[in-house]
Amino acid sequence: MSRAEEFAKLRPLLSAIAYRITGDARAARYAVQACRLRWMAAPARHAPAEEHLAAEVARIAVRALQAARGEPVEPLLAAGLADPDRPAGLADVLSLSALLVLERLSPLERAVFVLREAFGCSDAQIASALGCSVPACRQLLASVAVISDGGHEPLPWPTCVAGAENVAALVAAIIPPLAGVGVTVRWCRVGSRPGWVLRDRGGAILHTLLADVRDGRIHRLHLVVHPGTAGHDGPEEARTFPRGAGRTR
């Protein structure tokens, strides 16, 4: 496969990443085009192409966002997206893009976005969590989709966020809006590990977050789903698995 063919295959993903970071269709197109020019002019091929191009378009998009804001964009992830000489994986790019799109949403929109994109909830589940009708919920979902995806294919939600600062930013961005719509958040043991269990108004488990703790700080947060044991009172009884397990993009 030629370089041009590789890039064409990945363009939808790169466009979605660029738009989610910048929130601007024109800036996203610029970032993708600049990424293509660099890819075609590079003296050597980079493998895997998906991770290399995702990190490259993210760096370009972040610089464009910084220029538009006139200030640094935080967080830039401990994985090193700010450093072109330090490798960054697709998971790092997804984490950054998720945090930046959350900045553009109102508290209610954040709750809807997280319930759909991160937790994979159905329209009915989201409506139940919000305490509204399904038609009203769908209107909210459509509005949030315009802001977060802008007509592009939705990006997979990161299943893991690394770095204490990034974990803190994610928790601060999603927990208060969810609590504001009636989702209860409980810090407890999930199996053998510490984490949060999130339940809807009826007590059904929506999601769990597992924490890797070192020196009293959370350095890694895993977003996991709960496979059909919402009736259990004790989350330690439940098995969990990664949010993206078994899913293809």
Side-chain angles (χ1 to χ4, degrees):
M1 184 182 297
S2 69
R3 287 195 187 190
E5 290 170 331
E6 281 184 303
F7 193 90
K9 181 180 178 181
L10 293 171
R11 181 183 284 274
L13 170 66
L14 303 178
S15 296
I17 289 171
Y19 182 84
R20 183 160 285 188
I21 289 175
T22 63
D24 181 85
R26 183 176 181 180
R29 287 195 298 270
Y30 161 79
V32 172
Q33 183 60 19
C35 181
R36 183 183 186 279
L37 292 174
R38 294 184 185 187
W39 172 249
M40 297 301 293
R45 295 176 70 119
H46 298 268
E50 181 182 60
E51 292 200 355
H52 171 79
L53 288 171
E56 186 64 26
V57 80
R59 292 188 186 102
I60 296 169
V62 165
R63 284 194 288 271
L65 185 59
Q66 287 176 329
R69 290 183 177 181
E71 60 183 16
V73 173
E74 295 293 345
L76 283 181
L77 292 181
L81 282 176
D83 182 358
D85 296 322
R86 186 176 179 182
L90 181 59
D92 306 317
V93 174
L94 294 177
S95 296
L96 173 64
S97 65
L99 288 170
L100 289 176
V101 77
L102 284 169
E103 289 184 1
R104 300 198 298 273
L105 300 174
S106 70
L108 179 59
E109 290 169 339
R110 285 187 185 188
V112 170
F113 180 74
V114 171
L115 288 170
R116 168 69 90 207
E117 298 291 335
F119 296 179
C121 294
S122 67
D123 293 0
Q125 287 175 312
I126 297 173
S128 175
L130 299 180
C132 68
S133 67
V134 172
C137 171
R138 287 173 178 159
Q139 287 183 339
L140 280 170
L141 285 167
S143 174
V144 170
V146 170
I147 299 172
S148 61
D149 299 322
H152 299 284
E153 286 295 319
L155 290 172
W157 187 270
T159 58
C160 177
V161 175
E165 292 181 358
N166 300 311
V167 169
L170 181 66
V171 170
I174 69 173
I175 297 300
L178 290 172
V181 297
V183 174
T184 60
V185 183
R186 179 188 171 201
W187 174 258
C188 60
R189 303 291 297 185
V190 183
S192 61
R193 302 169 67 179
W196 286 276
V197 174
L198 295 87
R199 297 176 185 264
D200 67 14
R201 294 165 183 262
I205 295 178
L206 293 171
H207 215 65
T208 54
L209 309 175
L210 303 183
D212 292 340
V213 181
R214 186 171 71 248
D215 299 326
R217 301 184 71 189
I218 300 175
H219 284 264
R220 192 178 297 269
L221 193 68
H222 304 270
L223 286 78
V224 298
V225 290
H226 195 286
T229 52
H232 288 181
D233 292 328
E236 64 279 0
E237 299 175 4
R239 294 176 298 109
T240 57
F241 60 90
R243 168 78 177 90
R247 181 179 59 186
T248 57
R249 188 176 64 249

